Amino acid sequence: SNPPKDKSGIISMLEKVARVVGINPTFLKGMIAMESQFKYDARPYNRNLGKYLSSARGIGQFLDETWAEQIAKHGKKYGLTKDTPRENSTASAIITAEYVKANAKNLPNPNMVDGYFTHFLGPSGAKKFANASKDAPAARVLPKAARDNPDVFFKNGVSVTVAEIYAKYKKRIVDFAAEHGITLNPNE
């Protein structure tokens, strides 16, 4: 069957995918709400600059390189190939779920925010972040991510702490999910 393109179809599909892959369905729905607001063809576009901000696409917002890596790693199991587009919401959900599941295994006591960070900061970035002192300046822990995401890592030109970013994203993930009718326990 065709992958869903509407929000209710995508939400229903996410529940099934989460069960098949073996991750928390509520977490997967919350993450997709945050990444793409359930838009199968989402792309980060800056109206002020008049351009796309990255190669990220689809409900999981994978960059070209990460998508290719993950399709090579997990695609065969699900009948996905290098030609499978990220706009295929079912494929994107499967790859997102597998990616987060695999990367969360490398974290101490992962919760919802850590799981999101495996996607946002990449597996090694999420691990560094999880193991850093919560009082550490976040920009020192992940300088490249700070350069790429100054709005996340800095406030009035000064690096925020790791704890401040955790708190911001805990609230942000819960709020984004709530906007889409999904109730999350941020400590899961």
Side-chain angles (χ1 to χ4, degrees):
S1 70
N2 290 332
K5 293 184 175 182
D6 64 297
K7 181 180 167 183
S8 65
I10 288 172
I11 288 173
S12 175
M13 173 269 298
L14 290 171
E15 291 172 4
K16 292 174 190 153
V17 165
R19 283 193 294 278
V20 168
V21 173
I23 70 167
N24 180 324
T26 306
F27 167 72
L28 183 60
K29 290 185 289 185
M31 185 166 160
I32 297 300
M34 179 109 163
E35 285 296 307
S36 63
Q37 294 79 54
F38 303 102
K39 295 179 182 140
Y40 77 96
D41 59 352
R43 288 190 72 190
Y45 187 79
N46 185 308
R47 286 184 187 9
N48 295 329
L49 298 175
K51 67 177 188 175
Y52 291 103
L53 300 176
S54 73
S55 65
R57 287 197 165 122
I59 63 172
Q61 289 295 284
F62 280 96
L63 300 172
D64 292 341
E65 184 180 336
T66 311
W67 181 253
E69 287 170 3
Q70 295 305 307
I71 286 289
K73 191 183 262 185
H74 303 289
K76 190 173 185 178
K77 180 177 174 183
Y78 299 100
L80 307 174
T81 70
K82 64 180 177 50
D83 298 322
T84 303
R86 285 168 282 179
E87 293 82 1
N88 175 322
S89 60
T90 304
S92 190
I94 289 167
I95 296 301
T96 300
E98 287 284 5
Y99 184 75
V100 170
K101 179 182 176 183
N103 293 326
K105 288 178 184 171
N106 299 319
L107 301 174
N109 306 312
N111 61 28
M112 182 180 66
V113 179
D114 294 314
Y116 177 74
F117 283 166
T118 66
H119 195 67
F120 175 57
L121 301 171
S124 64
K127 189 173 183 177
K128 277 185 191 171
F129 220 61
N131 291 318
S133 162
K134 299 305 176 215
D135 296 329
R140 270 200 217 133
V141 176
L142 294 173
K144 183 183 180 323
R147 277 193 309 278
D148 293 345
N149 302 281
D151 56 320
V152 172
F153 284 81
F154 296 94
K155 187 174 183 178
N156 302 322
V158 178
S159 177
V160 297
T161 66
V162 169
E164 288 172 306
I165 291 180
Y166 266 100
K168 176 181 180 175
Y169 273 84
K170 184 184 250 188
K171 180 177 178 357
R172 198 169 172 193
I173 293 167
V174 168
D175 290 351
F176 252 96
E179 284 176 29
H180 294 279
I182 299 161
T183 303
L184 291 177
N185 175 351
N187 301 315
E188 282 185 354

